[in-house]
Amino acid sequence: MNNVVNVIDTAADMVNLARYPIADLDTAEGAAFAKQCRREYLETGLCMLPDFIVPGARQILAEEASAISSEAYFCKSTHNAYLTEDNPEWSVQDVAKRQEQTYVGSVAYDRIPDDAYLRRLYLWDPLKDFIGSVLGKSEFYRFADPLGACSINVFVDGGEHGWHFDESEFTVTLMLQAPTSGGAFEYVPKIRGRANEKEIVAAVLDGNRNGVVELPFTAGTLLIFGGQQTIHRVTRVSGRRARLVPVLCYSEQPDLKNSESVRMLFWGRTGNEAGLRA
Ligand SMILES: [Fe+2]
């Protein structure tokens, strides 16, 4: 009898290394795999790795996230697709005048226990180095934000994220738990900067489905996504089971954090409060 194979403890136990050799990027096989991922990211605007997390770890991570989902801070906002302030000089026809709705919760990094499996995964250097290579970064660090380094997005009944381009160049997410219904991730790849960008955005906001791609929500998938070039949304969630998606943040500079105003917006506090958590 040997039960050792089923034990999940470290990040290396959680990742499907047989399919995705991310810990061996200095071998020929690992380097070829990373190169293929890089090509996929450049060509399509995203790199999607289904079954990245092995089934046993998926369940552990989902239960862990679910157990702390009540710690989420919820933010309801109205925004345009560019996440910019309104400008009175824009014409009323300007697509940037159009408003979208977002209602999403986020469990801050400092609410994720020190021994959490998600934290072990985030703090694992081979994962960081692999993501950096997919994004083509020579310098790549985990984000130093006390709240936003690695957080968990929580979409409860009525939760949604309206159409937008991200402010950050890339986003890394882990699909952990699909909601009872809704919560589809939809996008129109790589339209930023095209001559007809605004026409495409207007059509998408009007509900035109031309070019809209829906990404299946499969638990255990890692997604590296270039959200600055690709308009995207999460459709409205309904039902009792929440949509749970950890967001792993990185930076090209060490010690980079969100501004305090961004932290106030997403988590209702700055994370500088002394003595709240050991
Ligand atoms: Fe986004």
Side-chain angles (χ1 to χ4, degrees), residues 64-219:
E64 178 182 89
S66 188
I68 53 173
S69 60
S70 58
E71 302 264 5
Y73 177 81
F74 283 85
C75 172
K76 205 169 206 167
S77 66
T78 302
H79 54 83
N80 68 13
Y82 297 91
L83 306 182
T84 49
E85 294 295 322
D86 185 39
N87 184 335
E89 288 176 16
W90 291 333
S91 80
V92 284
Q93 284 85 23
D94 196 312
V95 74
K97 285 280 189 191
R98 307 266 298 266
Q99 296 292 302
E100 289 282 298
Q101 311 294 322
T102 287
Y103 173 49
V104 61
S106 177
V107 179
Y109 189 49
D110 69 350
R111 296 289 195 256
I112 297 172
D114 289 342
D115 61 350
Y117 286 85
L118 178 59
R119 216 178 244 269
R120 289 179 219 178
L121 193 62
Y122 180 61
L123 295 175
W124 192 46
D125 281 344
L127 177 61
K128 168 182 70 72
D129 295 341
F130 164 67
I131 292 167
S133 78
V134 173
L135 295 167
K137 307 296 184 192
S138 53
E139 298 277 310
F140 204 59
Y141 305 90
R142 279 180 284 273
F143 203 37
D145 195 273
L147 308 183
C150 175
S151 57
I152 304 172
N153 274 353
V154 180
F155 293 77
V156 295
D157 189 62
E160 63 185 325
H161 201 155
W163 287 111
H164 67 285
F165 296 96
D166 287 339
E167 283 175 329
S168 54
E169 177 194 338
F170 60 85
T171 303
V172 180
T173 53
L174 186 61
M175 298 182 197
L176 273 193
Q177 178 175 284
T180 312
S181 74
F185 183 82
E186 297 182 340
Y187 64 101
V188 186
K190 302 184 77 170
I191 60 168
R192 197 79 179 262
R194 282 206 211 160
N196 58 346
E197 173 192 321
K198 290 213 164 179
E199 285 160 47
I200 298 171
V201 171
V204 168
L205 298 182
D206 283 339
N208 189 321
R209 304 293 291 171
N210 276 352
V212 175
V213 184
E214 181 182 334
L215 211 64
F217 192 113
T218 43

Side-chain angles (χ1 to χ4, degrees), residues 15-38:
V15 174
N16 187 349
L17 293 173
R19 181 166 172 187
Y20 302 123
I22 66 166
D24 299 308
L25 297 188
D26 50 356
T27 66
E29 186 201 3
F33 167 67
K35 198 173 166 188
Q36 176 197 329
C37 292
R38 171 91 182 122

